[in-house]
Amino acid sequence: MKNQLPENLKGVHIHFVGIKGTGMAALVEILFHAGAVITGSDVSERFYTDEIIEKLGLKALEFSENNITDDVQYVIYSSAYNLDKNPDLIAAVKKNVPCLLYTQALGNYSERAFSCGICGVHGKTSTTGLTGTILKELDLPVQVLAGSIINSFGATCTYTSPLISKLEPGEKKYFVAETCEYQRHFMSFCPRKIILTSVEPDHQDYYPTYEDIREAFIDYICKLPEGGDVIYCADDKGAVDTVSIVKTKRADINYIPYGEKAEGEYKLTFGKVENERNCFSVKLFENSSNPEFALSIPGRHEVLDACAATALVCQLLRDKGLEPSSYAKQIAQGLLNFTGGKRRSEIVGRLKSKSGNDVVVLDDYGHHPTAVKTTLEGFREFYKGRKIIVDFMSHTYSRTQALLKEFASSFESADEVILHKIYSSAREKPEDFTITGKTLYEEVLKTGKDKNTVHYYEEILDAKDFVMAELEKTLDSKYPDGYLFVTMGAGDNWKLGKAILG
């Protein structure tokens, strides 16, 4: 079919329009390893994904109709570009070259494997990265695609097991991918198993109400075949709510809860947080030789994601006729090997201030109030001896407006808060909204937070001198370890952390 990629991709020339997008770069890796010939185009600005594609010996071209040579057999394009506006896409349409949206191509690829989709408003990338890092320790023919660079994948977005190349013709591999709810993109994916981490209001420009976004997750879970698994977080109200509705529609799929409130094998028990490790146990392994697991990254939410990843890995082992409890040691090692990903609790550097204070500079993508709140709570628990300064940049006017009070009350665990203008989305016009970054600042002050600890700088780098001065201050005895400076959000305030590190 015209809108289907061929089963055998060896030697097939595919051109990517918007190749620097995180998901696009990850799919480039997957198809490159499948033997496809890849070219691609994008804007000239350099992104961290340039490093991913350069590792493959590729370079992003500028957009041009000349990119669509007679050799190009398929075009895969990002939803940020239109068939009738982008020069590459206009040329491809004229030449009758089949053009597939990224989500269509990913869905297409997922049909040819035993595929598992990881979804939810929060935790998708970490859960995918954790799953892949555990699977690296096991002998399963698997490919994994995450929505960001994962350190333990070798600073790329994907992991491909060496066993993939040894598969016999017709033998299916396992494929685990992060799947996104925005604009129902995940509906193109063909899952046999699904992890559902969380459901709550988000993407208000597309899902005006909670019921709208919940309906999308319901429809996605209903794509599971008979006997498929939905592994869902029993601690998340929205996930439980969503699954309870799916149960009325599909009695033929397996409902597998995980978390503290879960009944059954994947019941989670939180352990100690010490020596910068999060310890926990999962009921299935309580009688094994390795009953306790640990993560070297902060946050109870990360432990929940680790429990979800462990559950999916165990279900895949069972599908291969293997006993999961026999693999406790490998699973424990995989969990310890996970050190996060790009912009996911990422330590970008350390410095000593002139006055001798130790400073850890960390960057995190958290851009929804629940993610901001839980991530900062995790930092507070993990970095007990550090004073926490968070620099937050809100992303999209519609999200900030709809969740203003929730955002305002999400900074309780921070000692100092710095706010900026709203980072706009291309799909929104600022003039259509009355809300600004200053509105959020004023709302934070209403929560009772000390006004001397909440600061506003319209532009990101305007805050640099203030932060540098703060990091020189003598610390209270309750902060013996120094400072933790966190840039947080889906905007570009990560630049402030880089500037402070020099």
mmCIF file of all heavy atoms in Angstrom, residues 340-362:
data_model
loop_
_atom_site.group_PDB
_atom_site.id
_atom_site.type_symbol
_atom_site.label_atom_id
_atom_site.label_comp_id
_atom_site.label_asym_id
_atom_site.label_seq_id
_atom_site.Cartn_x
_atom_site.Cartn_y
_atom_site.Cartn_z
ATOM 1 N N GLY A 340 18.656 8.263 34.153
ATOM 2 C CA GLY A 340 17.816 9.332 33.615
ATOM 3 C C GLY A 340 18.098 9.597 32.151
ATOM 4 O O GLY A 340 18.764 8.822 31.465
ATOM 5 N N GLY A 341 17.579 10.722 31.675
ATOM 6 C CA GLY A 341 17.733 11.066 30.272
ATOM 7 C C GLY A 341 17.862 12.566 30.111
ATOM 8 O O GLY A 341 17.906 13.323 31.081
ATOM 9 N N LYS A 342 17.924 12.983 28.867
ATOM 10 C CA LYS A 342 18.043 14.401 28.556
ATOM 11 C C LYS A 342 16.840 15.148 29.110
ATOM 12 O O LYS A 342 15.693 14.801 28.822
ATOM 13 C CB LYS A 342 18.111 14.577 27.034
ATOM 14 C CG LYS A 342 18.453 15.978 26.584
ATOM 15 C CD LYS A 342 19.931 16.238 26.698
ATOM 16 C CE LYS A 342 20.302 17.603 26.135
ATOM 17 N NZ LYS A 342 21.710 17.928 26.377
ATOM 18 N N ARG A 343 17.088 16.152 29.942
ATOM 19 C CA ARG A 343 16.057 16.996 30.517
ATOM 20 C C ARG A 343 15.104 16.229 31.432
ATOM 21 O O ARG A 343 14.004 16.682 31.706
ATOM 22 C CB ARG A 343 15.255 17.747 29.438
ATOM 23 C CG ARG A 343 16.086 18.569 28.470
ATOM 24 C CD ARG A 343 15.407 19.854 28.057
ATOM 25 N NE ARG A 343 15.197 20.714 29.231
ATOM 26 C CZ ARG A 343 14.210 21.607 29.309
ATOM 27 N NH1 ARG A 343 13.351 21.729 28.328
ATOM 28 N NH2 ARG A 343 14.081 22.359 30.392
ATOM 29 N N ARG A 344 15.503 15.073 31.908
ATOM 30 C CA ARG A 344 14.718 14.317 32.872
ATOM 31 C C ARG A 344 15.574 14.138 34.113
ATOM 32 O O ARG A 344 16.407 13.231 34.180
ATOM 33 C CB ARG A 344 14.282 12.961 32.324
ATOM 34 C CG ARG A 344 12.935 12.960 31.608
ATOM 35 C CD ARG A 344 12.964 13.663 30.302
ATOM 36 N NE ARG A 344 11.662 13.616 29.615
ATOM 37 C CZ ARG A 344 11.439 14.156 28.432
ATOM 38 N NH1 ARG A 344 12.402 14.805 27.801
ATOM 39 N NH2 ARG A 344 10.249 14.086 27.863
ATOM 40 N N SER A 345 15.447 15.054 35.077
ATOM 41 C CA SER A 345 16.297 15.060 36.283
ATOM 42 C C SER A 345 17.762 14.923 35.886
ATOM 43 O O SER A 345 18.524 14.183 36.510
ATOM 44 C CB SER A 345 15.887 13.933 37.238
ATOM 45 O OG SER A 345 14.561 14.110 37.674
ATOM 46 N N GLU A 346 18.146 15.661 34.851
ATOM 47 C CA GLU A 346 19.497 15.548 34.285
ATOM 48 C C GLU A 346 20.472 16.475 35.020
ATOM 49 O O GLU A 346 20.270 17.691 35.055
ATOM 50 C CB GLU A 346 19.467 15.914 32.802
ATOM 51 C CG GLU A 346 20.828 15.882 32.141
ATOM 52 C CD GLU A 346 20.849 16.512 30.757
ATOM 53 O OE1 GLU A 346 19.866 17.164 30.380
ATOM 54 O OE2 GLU A 346 21.867 16.352 30.067
ATOM 55 N N ILE A 347 21.506 15.897 35.604
ATOM 56 C CA ILE A 347 22.558 16.718 36.207
ATOM 57 C C ILE A 347 23.432 17.244 35.069
ATOM 58 O O ILE A 347 24.119 16.484 34.396
ATOM 59 C CB ILE A 347 23.389 15.907 37.224
ATOM 60 C CG1 ILE A 347 22.512 15.523 38.427
ATOM 61 C CG2 ILE A 347 24.594 16.707 37.691
ATOM 62 C CD1 ILE A 347 23.181 14.611 39.437
ATOM 63 N N VAL A 348 23.370 18.567 34.842
ATOM 64 C CA VAL A 348 24.114 19.146 33.716
ATOM 65 C C VAL A 348 25.494 19.640 34.136
ATOM 66 O O VAL A 348 26.329 19.956 33.293
ATOM 67 C CB VAL A 348 23.316 20.284 33.029
ATOM 68 C CG1 VAL A 348 22.124 19.728 32.296
ATOM 69 C CG2 VAL A 348 22.868 21.346 34.018
ATOM 70 N N GLY A 349 25.735 19.714 35.448
ATOM 71 C CA GLY A 349 27.067 20.108 35.899
ATOM 72 C C GLY A 349 27.115 20.401 37.393
ATOM 73 O O GLY A 349 26.087 20.430 38.066
ATOM 74 N N ARG A 350 28.333 20.604 37.883
ATOM 75 C CA ARG A 350 28.555 20.971 39.286
ATOM 76 C C ARG A 350 29.571 22.098 39.306
ATOM 77 O O ARG A 350 30.408 22.204 38.397
ATOM 78 C CB ARG A 350 29.100 19.791 40.096
ATOM 79 C CG ARG A 350 28.201 18.595 40.163
ATOM 80 C CD ARG A 350 28.830 17.477 40.984
ATOM 81 N NE ARG A 350 28.587 17.662 42.407
ATOM 82 C CZ ARG A 350 27.928 16.788 43.162
ATOM 83 N NH1 ARG A 350 27.448 15.684 42.633
ATOM 84 N NH2 ARG A 350 27.747 17.003 44.443
ATOM 85 N N LEU A 351 29.512 22.915 40.343
ATOM 86 C CA LEU A 351 30.506 23.968 40.479
ATOM 87 C C LEU A 351 30.718 24.291 41.953
ATOM 88 O O LEU A 351 29.890 23.946 42.805
ATOM 89 C CB LEU A 351 30.090 25.222 39.715
ATOM 90 C CG LEU A 351 28.798 25.948 40.132
ATOM 91 C CD1 LEU A 351 29.097 27.050 41.155
ATOM 92 C CD2 LEU A 351 28.118 26.573 38.929
ATOM 93 N N LYS A 352 31.834 24.921 42.231
ATOM 94 C CA LYS A 352 32.106 25.462 43.564
ATOM 95 C C LYS A 352 31.997 26.971 43.432
ATOM 96 O O LYS A 352 32.664 27.579 42.590
ATOM 97 C CB LYS A 352 33.522 25.087 44.026
ATOM 98 C CG LYS A 352 33.636 23.686 44.577
ATOM 99 C CD LYS A 352 33.290 23.644 46.058
ATOM 100 C CE LYS A 352 33.584 22.240 46.605
ATOM 101 N NZ LYS A 352 32.857 21.986 47.838
ATOM 102 N N SER A 353 31.153 27.583 44.259
ATOM 103 C CA SER A 353 31.050 29.038 44.220
ATOM 104 C C SER A 353 32.324 29.631 44.815
ATOM 105 O O SER A 353 33.099 28.935 45.482
ATOM 106 C CB SER A 353 29.828 29.513 44.996
ATOM 107 O OG SER A 353 30.021 29.322 46.388
ATOM 108 N N LYS A 354 32.538 30.939 44.595
ATOM 109 C CA LYS A 354 33.749 31.583 45.110
ATOM 110 C C LYS A 354 33.824 31.472 46.625
ATOM 111 O O LYS A 354 34.900 31.419 47.209
ATOM 112 C CB LYS A 354 33.772 33.053 44.683
ATOM 113 C CG LYS A 354 34.032 33.234 43.193
ATOM 114 C CD LYS A 354 33.898 34.682 42.788
ATOM 115 C CE LYS A 354 34.017 34.836 41.272
ATOM 116 N NZ LYS A 354 33.696 36.214 40.835
ATOM 117 N N SER A 355 32.654 31.421 47.267
ATOM 118 C CA SER A 355 32.635 31.316 48.731
ATOM 119 C C SER A 355 32.751 29.873 49.211
ATOM 120 O O SER A 355 32.677 29.592 50.400
ATOM 121 C CB SER A 355 31.354 31.949 49.284
ATOM 122 O OG SER A 355 30.216 31.322 48.737
ATOM 123 N N GLY A 356 32.885 28.936 48.259
ATOM 124 C CA GLY A 356 33.130 27.537 48.624
ATOM 125 C C GLY A 356 31.900 26.651 48.669
ATOM 126 O O GLY A 356 31.990 25.476 49.045
ATOM 127 N N ASN A 357 30.713 27.169 48.281
ATOM 128 C CA ASN A 357 29.493 26.356 48.287
ATOM 129 C C ASN A 357 29.508 25.355 47.134
ATOM 130 O O ASN A 357 29.841 25.715 45.998
ATOM 131 C CB ASN A 357 28.251 27.244 48.149
ATOM 132 C CG ASN A 357 28.031 28.122 49.366
ATOM 133 O OD1 ASN A 357 28.298 27.713 50.489
ATOM 134 N ND2 ASN A 357 27.541 29.341 49.150
ATOM 135 N N ASP A 358 29.122 24.113 47.425
ATOM 136 C CA ASP A 358 28.995 23.102 46.377
ATOM 137 C C ASP A 358 27.622 23.263 45.715
ATOM 138 O O ASP A 358 26.601 23.363 46.404
ATOM 139 C CB ASP A 358 29.114 21.695 46.972
ATOM 140 C CG ASP A 358 29.103 20.620 45.896
ATOM 141 O OD1 ASP A 358 30.076 20.535 45.145
ATOM 142 O OD2 ASP A 358 28.097 19.885 45.792
ATOM 143 N N VAL A 359 27.595 23.316 44.396
ATOM 144 C CA VAL A 359 26.351 23.552 43.661
ATOM 145 C C VAL A 359 26.143 22.463 42.618
ATOM 146 O O VAL A 359 27.017 22.224 41.777
ATOM 147 C CB VAL A 359 26.361 24.935 42.945
ATOM 148 C CG1 VAL A 359 25.034 25.168 42.219
ATOM 149 C CG2 VAL A 359 26.645 26.058 43.926
ATOM 150 N N VAL A 360 25.002 21.787 42.690
ATOM 151 C CA VAL A 360 24.593 20.846 41.642
ATOM 152 C C VAL A 360 23.584 21.580 40.748
ATOM 153 O O VAL A 360 22.609 22.148 41.240
ATOM 154 C CB VAL A 360 23.923 19.584 42.234
ATOM 155 C CG1 VAL A 360 23.336 18.705 41.129
ATOM 156 C CG2 VAL A 360 24.924 18.785 43.050
ATOM 157 N N VAL A 361 23.841 21.586 39.446
ATOM 158 C CA VAL A 361 22.930 22.222 38.488
ATOM 159 C C VAL A 361 22.192 21.115 37.743
ATOM 160 O O VAL A 361 22.809 20.248 37.123
ATOM 161 C CB VAL A 361 23.690 23.135 37.500
ATOM 162 C CG1 VAL A 361 22.721 23.775 36.502
ATOM 163 C CG2 VAL A 361 24.450 24.217 38.256
ATOM 164 N N LEU A 362 20.887 21.143 37.837
ATOM 165 C CA LEU A 362 20.055 20.061 37.304
ATOM 166 C C LEU A 362 18.982 20.641 36.389
ATOM 167 O O LEU A 362 18.497 21.751 36.595
ATOM 168 C CB LEU A 362 19.427 19.332 38.496
ATOM 169 C CG LEU A 362 18.724 18.001 38.301
ATOM 170 C CD1 LEU A 362 18.920 17.136 39.535
ATOM 171 C CD2 LEU A 362 17.236 18.216 38.085
#
